Amino acid sequence: MSKLLEVKDLAVSFNTYNGEVQAVRGVSFDLNKGETLAIVGESGSGKSVTTSALMGLLPKPQGVIKSGEILFEGEDLVKKSNKEMQKIRGKDMSMVFQDPMSSLNPTMKVGNQIMEGLIKHQNMNRSDARKKAIELLDQVGIPNPEIRINQYPHQFSGGMRQRVVIAIALACNPKVLIADEPTTALDVTIQAQILELMKNIQKETDSAIIFITHDLGVVANVADRVAVMYAGKVVEYGTVDDIFYNPKHPYTWGLLGSMPTLDNADEELYAIPGSPPDMLNPPKGDAFAPRNKFALEIDAVMEPPMFKVTDTHYAATWLLHEDAPKIEPPESVKKRMQGFANSGGDQ
Amino acid sequence: MVRYILRRVMYMLVTLFIIATLSFFLMKMLPGSPLNAEDKLSEQQQAIVLEKYGLNDPVPVQYVKYIGGLLQGDLGISFAFSNTPVTDILMDRIGPSAQLGAQALVVGTILGVLLGLIAAISHNGFLDYTSTVIAVLGTSIPNFVFAGLLQFVFAAQLEWFPVALWGDFKHTILPTIALMIFPMATAARFVRTEMVEVLGSNFITTARAKGVSEPGIVFKHGLRNALIPLVTVIGPMAVSLMTGSMVIEQIFAIPGIGEQFVNSVMVNDYPTIMGTTLLFAALFITIILIIDLLYGLIDPRIRISGGDS
Ligand SMILES: Nc1ncnc2c1ncn2[C@@H]1O[C@H](COP(=O)(O)OP(=O)(O)OP(=O)(O)O)[C@@H](O)[C@H]1O
Ligand SMILES: [Mg+2]
C-alpha cells in the first residue's frame, strides 16, 4: 500500500500566559490511500490540535509546531509557507468540522461557498463551478440542488448544513479528508446518515479519511485503523480488529469498558478514574500511570516506548515489556471484546 | 413589504404628533417671552404684538391652532424675522447642515471602518493600540474642543482653511472634521470588536480550510459579517451629528439649522423652535426606518423572515 501521509514525531505547543501547553507530544502515524484512520481519545488529548497542525491551521501566533515532520506524498508540510499551504488546503486536504451550525458563512450563499474552492484550485469559471456545485449538493444528498444553491445557511437544518460542509470539503476531490467529530452535534438518526454518506463518498472517490471521534461505536463502523490518543501521545495504534479484539493498553481497555453497547445495557459502565493530566506540566513517566490500576513502578520514572505487538499493532505500555507481569484485561472489558467478536464488526 | 412600510410610516406620524405636543408644552415653560429683547416697545405696542401672534389666547387654544396649522403643513411665522414663514427659514438653512452632516457621516464612517479593520487585523499589535487610543479620544473629547483646536492650528496658525463662515468647499472642511470625529471613533471601536469576533469564528476556519487567501478571509468573509451590525449604530451617530451640528455651526458661524435653533431658543422664537425640533425629530425617525429597511436588505437572515410574513 502506498503511504499518502506520514506523521513523524509531531509535537505542538501553545504559548499561553500561564506557560507552554504541550498539547501534542510526539505523535506518529501514517495514512494509506483510500483508508480510514480513526483517532480516538478523551477530550483534551490533542486530537483536534494534531489535525489542525496537519492542515496548517494552528491558531497563530500561540500555536507552534515544536518538532516533527508531516510528509504528504513525500513533502514536508511543516516547512511550507502559509501561501503554499493555501494551495494544498481545500485541494489535497480538506476538513469537515464538528459544529455545522457555525461552520458556514451566514451571509454568503451556500453555492458561492462551495464554488469558492473550485474557482481557486481548479481555475473554473463561475458557470462551470456552479454546475459542479449543484452536482456536489446532489452527491451529498441534498434535494433540489438547483434551488438550494441560491439559499443561505440559515435555510438549512443542522444535518443538511453538515452535508453542505462535506460538499465544500469534497469539492476538489481531496486526497485526504479530515473529519473532526463531524456527527457529535447532530442527533442520532442524522449521525447515521452522515456516516453512511461519508462511507459512500469514500467508496466513490477513494480519498483517505482521518476520522476523529469520541464514539467507539462509530470507529467500529467506519474505520480501518485506529490511533488511540492520550495526553498528546498515541498510546495504541492498530487495525480495528487489533484494537477491539486484542487491546493491549490499559487506557484502551478503559475506553472499551466505558463504551455502552446493546448487550451490556443493564451492566454498570466502567469509568476511567481521575482526569487527564494538565498539559502545562505533563507528568514524568507514563502520563496515564496515575489513573492506571495496572501501573508498574517503572511507569512513574520512565515513559514507555512503543512496543510492537504485531506488524500492524503497537502500544506504548510497560506491560508489553518482556519482564512485565502478565496481566489480562479486566473481566468486564473482556466480555465487551467478546461482544464485538460476536457482532462480527458490524458491516 | 409595502404594507410594512406603510404601517411604519403611520407609527412615525403618531410619534411626530406626540413629539409636537410634548415640545409645544415644554416650550411654553421656557422663561421669558418673545418680547424680552425689545424693551423699547411700550405696553400698548407689546399688547398689539402679542395679540397679533395669538399669544394672548389660553395655551390650549394656542395648541389647537398650532396643530391645526401643522396638519396643513404650516409651521407658523417666525417672531424674530418678522413675517418670514418658519418653513422658508428652515428651507434656507437646511443646505449647509445637510452637506456638513452627510460629509461627516460618510467620511467619518469610512475612516472609522478602516481604522477598526486595521486594528482588528493587527490584533493586540502596535497599530491596534494606536487606533484604540484614537477611538477613545474621539469618543470622549467633546467636539467643540476639536473645533477650537482645528481653528487654531489649521486656520489661525497654518492659514490653510478659513476660520469660519460659509462659502465654498474649503469652508466645509474644518467643521466636517470636527463633526466627523465622533462617528469615526464610534465606527472604529465597533468594527474592531466585531471583526475580532468574526475572525475567530468557525466559518472563518472553514474558509481557511478551503484554502482562501488572507485578503479573501478579511474582505470576503470577515468584513461583511462585521459590518452588518454597524448599521445599528448609525442611529446614535445621526443623533450625535444633529446635536453636534448645533455646537459646531455656532462655532464656525455657519448658517445652518443647528445655529438657527440655538439662536431661536435665545430669543424665545416659539414657532422656529417648534419647527426645528420637529424637523430634527422627523429626520431621526426617518433614519431609524431606513436603518431597519437597510438591515433587512444586507442581512440575509432577516431578509427572508421579513419577506415571508
Ligand atoms: N488555542 C489554544 N491555546 C492553548 N491551549 C490549547 C489551544 N487549543 C487547544 N489547546 C489545548 O490543547 C490540548 C488538546 O486540545 P484538543 O482540542 O486537540 O483536544 P481534543 O482531543 O480535540 O479534545 P475534544 O475531544 O474535546 O475536541 C488541550 O489541553 C487544550 O487545552
Ligand atoms: Mg477536538
Side-chain angles (χ1 to χ4, degrees):
Chain A
M1 269 200 266
S2 53
K3 282 197 172 55
L4 193 57
L5 186 71
E6 255 181 293
V7 178
K8 290 185 181 166
D9 212 25
L10 180 70
V12 181
S13 287
F14 292 96
N15 297 313
T16 67
Y17 288 116
N18 300 324
E20 179 187 339
V21 178
Q22 302 180 29
V24 173
R25 307 180 297 147
V27 160
S28 303
F29 59 83
D30 47 43
L31 185 69
N32 297 318
K33 253 185 109 178
E35 82 169 339
T36 300
L37 171 74
I39 303 182
V40 295
E42 268 169 303
S43 194
S45 54
K47 307 181 296 288
S48 299
V49 172
T50 303
T51 48
S52 300
L54 299 191
M55 294 285 289
L57 287 176
L58 287 172
K60 270 166 260 186
Q62 324 81 290
V64 278
I65 296 184
K66 302 289 279 190
S67 64
E69 291 178 349
I70 301 168
L71 299 178
F72 177 71
E73 298 186 314
E75 283 187 66
D76 190 357
L77 300 186
V78 175
K79 297 204 184 76
K80 296 222 183 262
S81 69
N82 190 30
K83 269 250 146 59
E84 291 170 306
M85 284 308 289
Q86 280 169 15
K87 297 207 183 92
I88 293 175
R89 286 200 287 266
K91 177 164 165 273
D92 296 318
M93 286 168 111
S94 56
M95 198 153 175
V96 176
F97 299 90
Q98 176 170 350
D99 181 10
M101 298 318 268
S102 64
S103 49
L104 290 170
N105 186 338
T107 59
M108 203 191 240
K109 284 181 186 164
V110 157
N112 287 337
Q113 300 193 48
I114 302 175
M115 285 153 63
E116 214 176 5
L118 293 167
I119 291 168
K120 179 178 167 91
H121 296 301
Q122 309 201 328
N123 291 322
M124 281 193 187
N125 60 33
R126 281 194 67 85
S127 74
D128 286 348
R130 220 185 123 76
K131 270 184 219 131
K132 173 79 184 174
I134 292 175
E135 251 171 59
L136 282 161
L137 283 181
D138 191 42
Q139 189 186 354
V140 298
I142 292 183
N144 304 323
E146 305 83 8
I147 298 168
R148 290 301 214 158
I149 196 167
N150 288 322
Q151 295 185 333
Y152 289 91
H154 69 271
Q155 292 166 282
F156 291 72
S157 67
M160 284 291 163
R161 285 191 212 190
Q162 196 62 307
R163 286 170 193 266
V164 172
V165 175
I166 293 174
I168 291 175
L170 286 179
C172 302
N173 274 325
K175 293 169 183 152
V176 180
L177 178 64
I178 299 172
D180 190 348
E181 306 192 34
T183 57
T184 317
L186 304 171
D187 66 54
V188 187
T189 41
I190 310 287
Q191 276 187 16
Q193 291 172 9
I194 296 283
L195 287 179
E196 201 54 37
L197 171 69
M198 293 195 61
K199 281 205 289 189
N200 288 340
I201 281 166
Q202 188 173 34
K203 259 184 236 149
E204 284 168 36
T205 63
D206 204 33
S207 50
I209 296 182
I210 297 180
F211 199 104
I212 298 182
T213 178
H214 291 281
D215 187 344
L216 284 176
V218 170
V219 174
N221 191 358
V222 302
D224 301 307
R225 284 196 297 158
V226 185
V228 180
M229 278 189 78
Y230 184 77
K233 296 199 158 192
V234 173
V235 294
E236 186 159 6
Y237 181 51
T239 63
V240 171
D241 289 354
D242 293 335
I243 301 296
F244 280 84
Y245 305 147
N246 191 21
K248 290 297 181 195
H249 198 286
Y251 180 63
T252 315
W253 295 346
L255 284 184
L256 289 171
S258 58
M259 171 191 167
T261 61
L262 277 182
D263 33 47
N264 70 5
D266 40 343
E267 287 170 37
E268 217 177 287
L269 283 183
Y270 172 83
I272 305 171
S275 54
D278 178 8
M279 302 314 289
L280 263 174
N281 307 295
K284 225 174 120 211
D286 184 354
F288 186 56
R291 304 169 70 187
N292 180 4
K293 65 176 171 182
F294 308 105
L296 306 173
E297 268 166 38
I298 188 168
D299 277 323
V301 207
M302 226 171 123
E303 265 187 287
M306 268 290 183
F307 288 96
K308 182 171 171 176
V309 184
T310 66
D311 274 347
T312 56
H313 190 183
Y314 298 81
T317 166
W318 284 117
L319 295 179
L320 290 172
H321 192 268
E322 53 191 5
D323 296 341
K326 289 285 158 271
I327 289 179
E328 288 287 307
E331 269 318 306
S332 62
V333 175
K334 267 187 159 170
K335 258 170 86 182
R336 205 67 43 92
M337 287 153 54
Q338 207 61 50
F340 292 127
N342 293 341
S343 64
D346 287 335
Q347 283 110 336
Chain B
M1 194 63 185
V2 176
R3 262 181 47 203
Y4 172 74
I5 295 179
L6 281 179
R7 202 170 69 219
R8 286 292 302 263
V9 171
M10 274 288 298
Y11 288 142
M12 279 169 63
L13 293 177
V14 173
T15 315
L16 267 184
F17 173 76
I18 294 171
I19 292 175
T21 308
L22 280 178
S23 39
F24 184 87
F25 288 105
L26 277 175
M27 189 182 60
K28 286 291 165 194
M29 292 196 272
L30 277 179
S33 93
L35 305 181
N36 279 358
E38 291 149 65
D39 291 334
K40 284 157 260 158
L41 295 181
S42 71
E43 294 267 315
Q44 217 173 1
Q45 283 172 309
Q46 289 198 14
I48 293 171
V49 173
L50 287 179
E51 187 58 40
K52 179 182 165 202
Y53 290 112
L55 292 172
N56 283 334
D57 296 340
V59 173
V61 175
Q62 291 185 32
Y63 170 71
V64 172
K65 276 189 184 166
Y66 185 77
I67 296 293
L70 209 56
L71 288 177
Q72 295 161 29
D74 178 9
L75 290 171
I77 289 175
S78 166
F79 301 165
F81 308 87
S82 39
N83 293 330
T84 319
V86 171
T87 348
D88 290 358
I89 297 180
L90 293 181
M91 286 308 223
D92 259 7
R93 287 180 163 256
I94 200 158
S97 294
Q99 188 183 350
L100 282 188
Q103 284 179 192
L105 190 65
V106 171
V107 181
T109 310
I110 292 175
L111 286 183
V113 168
L114 282 179
L115 214 58
L117 197 62
I118 292 170
I121 293 172
S122 78
H123 188 30
N124 289 338
F126 172 72
L127 287 175
D128 187 9
Y129 292 122
T130 315
S131 89
T132 306
V133 169
I134 295 178
V136 170
L137 289 181
T139 37
S140 49
I141 298 180
N143 51 11
F144 58 83
V145 176
F146 280 116
L149 216 61
L150 289 170
Q151 280 177 323
F152 178 71
V153 176
F154 295 103
Q157 299 286 317
L158 297 171
E159 297 188 4
W160 289 354
F161 303 104
V163 178
L165 294 179
W166 192 247
D168 53 12
F169 180 65
K170 260 193 152 180
H171 287 90
T172 70
I173 293 179
L174 292 185
T176 301
I177 295 176
L179 207 51
M180 82 180 197
I181 296 285
F182 186 83
M184 184 188 80
T186 313
R189 287 214 303 199
F190 198 82
V191 167
R192 179 193 176 273
T193 317
E194 285 297 321
M195 196 67 186
V196 166
E197 197 186 310
V198 166
L199 287 181
S201 57
N202 287 343
F203 68 84
I204 292 292
T205 315
T206 310
R208 288 216 162 90
K210 269 190 270 190
V212 177
S213 64
E214 277 312 303
I217 294 287
V218 171
F219 293 104
K220 213 166 150 195
H221 289 271
L223 196 56
R224 178 170 180 148
N225 285 288
L227 285 189
I228 287 176
L230 184 67
V231 176
T232 55
V233 292
I234 293 180
M237 276 186 196
V239 172
S240 85
L241 287 180
M242 289 179 203
T243 52
S245 73
M246 297 184 196
V247 182
I248 298 295
E249 286 176 8
Q250 198 72 27
I251 293 176
F252 287 94
I254 291 166
I257 307 265
E259 197 230 14
Q260 172 70 59
F261 186 67
V262 176
N263 290 339
S264 305
V265 172
M266 308 254 224
V267 298
N268 283 328
D269 183 353
Y270 296 148
T272 316
I273 299 177
M274 279 299 295
T276 319
T277 310
L278 287 179
L279 179 68
F280 276 143
L283 262 177
F284 183 59
I285 299 175
T286 315
I287 286 171
I288 292 193
L289 175 67
I290 293 175
I291 290 169
D292 283 354
L293 296 178
L294 210 63
Y295 211 92
L297 211 68
I298 56 178
D299 191 333
R301 285 161 293 193
I302 292 179
R303 190 191 310 162
I304 294 307
S305 48
D308 285 350
S309 63

